[in-house]
């Protein structure tokens, strides 16, 4: 069974940028494409950034048991499709999930061997700057995401690993070290089991 890496932490902490840099350094990793009921932002493509679903279609998938985890976030729904995960792990491909905290907790229960990393902002002010600076959300949405972030930050100690995203390069170095260590552990475990 290939490894599953959960990267969580508040919106605006830089999970997406960190994961892109991580995958550039460890190309065997693949990112699972989540489903969501939120509207695509300019430049986002269906099936690439997210599977954009209507509420009814999302509900149908919940009923079918198509999600490994799903959660409501800022009035919208987000979920990890079993198919996205399993077609990779079944082929030995390590997968990265970029998800919020409630989903990460569900993964902890469903897949206890998944590696969980919480990305911590250097400060709340830095988080606000990033959320405003990236210009993807309206001011009310930024305010809502900051309120959720306060909550999410209280959960950081639940997570096996924490990485502070202050200087991007340092954070990518830390994340890469975690991933390489865990991938190495998996490989040596498999050798042990075979001998
Ligand atoms: P955004 O709207 O900014 O793309 O995402 C909002 C939040 O939902 C982010 O914290 C993001 O990591 C999280 N998210 C994205 N996909 C999933 C998913 O499949 N499941 C869960 N639980 N959260 C997700």
């Amino acid at each position: 069974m290939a490894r599953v890496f959960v990267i969580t932490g508040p919106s605006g902490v830089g999970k997406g940028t960190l994961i892109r840099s991580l995958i550039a350094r460890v190309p065997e990793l693949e990112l699972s494409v989540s489903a969501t009921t939120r509207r695509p932002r300019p430049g986002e493509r269906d099936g690439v950034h997210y599977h954009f679903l209507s509420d009814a279609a999302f509900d149908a998938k919940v009923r079918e048991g198509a999600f490994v985890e799903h959660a409501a976030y800022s009035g919208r729904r987000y979920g990890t499709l079993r198919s996205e995960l399993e077609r990779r792990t079944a082929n030995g491909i390590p997968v990265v999930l970029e998800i919020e905290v409630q989903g990460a907790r569900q993964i902890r229960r469903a897949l206890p061997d998944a590696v969980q990393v919480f990305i911590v902002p250097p400060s709340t002010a830095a988080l606000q700057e990033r959320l405003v600076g990236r210009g993807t959300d309206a001011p009310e949405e930024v305010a809502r995401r900051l309120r959720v972030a306060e909550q999410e930050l209280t959960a950081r100690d639940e997570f096996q690993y924490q990485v502070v995203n202050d200087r991007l390069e340092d954070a990518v170095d830390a994340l890469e070290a975690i991933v390489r260590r865990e991938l190495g552990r998996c490989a040596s475990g498999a050798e042990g089991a075979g001998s």
Side-chain angles (χ1 to χ4, degrees):
M1 178 77 173
R3 300 235 73 169
V4 175
F5 293 92
V6 175
I7 312 292
T8 191
S11 175
V13 78
K15 301 191 289 287
T17 309
L18 277 172
I19 290 170
R20 274 194 300 280
S21 305
L22 174 69
I23 292 178
R25 290 190 191 186
V26 190
E28 71 252 46
L29 293 174
E30 286 190 15
L31 180 64
S32 163
V33 180
S34 296
T36 184
T37 61
R38 84 149 162 74
R39 293 265 183 86
R41 294 177 181 139
E44 282 185 337
R45 283 189 292 139
D46 188 38
V48 176
H49 297 91
Y50 278 107
H51 300 286
F52 293 100
L53 302 181
S54 64
D55 258 309
F58 196 100
D59 272 335
K61 293 220 176 281
V62 172
R63 281 196 302 274
E64 287 163 20
F67 289 114
V68 193
E69 62 74 33
H70 62 95
Y73 175 90
S74 197
R76 301 291 177 183
R77 298 157 83 197
Y78 295 82
T80 303
L81 291 162
R82 212 171 280 288
S83 55
E84 283 279 330
L85 198 65
E86 288 175 358
R87 87 184 142 82
R88 295 185 171 95
T89 53
N91 290 303
I93 299 168
V95 191
V96 177
L97 306 183
E98 190 223 302
I99 62 180
E100 51 68 75
V101 168
Q102 303 166 72
R105 289 189 177 121
Q106 293 173 43
I107 294 288
R108 199 185 300 148
R109 286 190 294 271
L111 304 170
D113 289 338
V115 179
Q116 299 225 333
V117 186
F118 188 98
I119 310 295
V120 185
S123 65
T124 314
L127 199 61
Q128 179 164 16
E129 240 168 66
R130 254 190 229 144
L131 278 171
V132 173
R134 73 183 185 184
T136 48
D137 299 297
E140 316 81 70
E141 179 63 18
V142 168
R144 189 152 43 168
R145 284 175 181 239
L146 279 169
R147 281 197 298 276
V148 177
E150 295 287 345
Q151 274 294 315
E152 291 186 313
L153 283 169
T154 64
R156 57 188 277 184
D157 291 335
E158 288 174 24
F159 292 87
Q160 185 182 5
Y161 293 106
Q162 294 178 23
V163 170
V164 179
N165 189 16
D166 191 353
R167 232 186 111 251
L168 179 70
E169 279 300 297
D170 293 343
V172 180
D173 285 349
L175 203 51
E176 182 185 1
I178 292 167
V179 166
R180 292 203 183 279
R181 181 178 332 126
E182 292 290 346
L183 287 175
R185 191 173 287 165
C186 183
S188 55
E191 273 162 31
S195 58

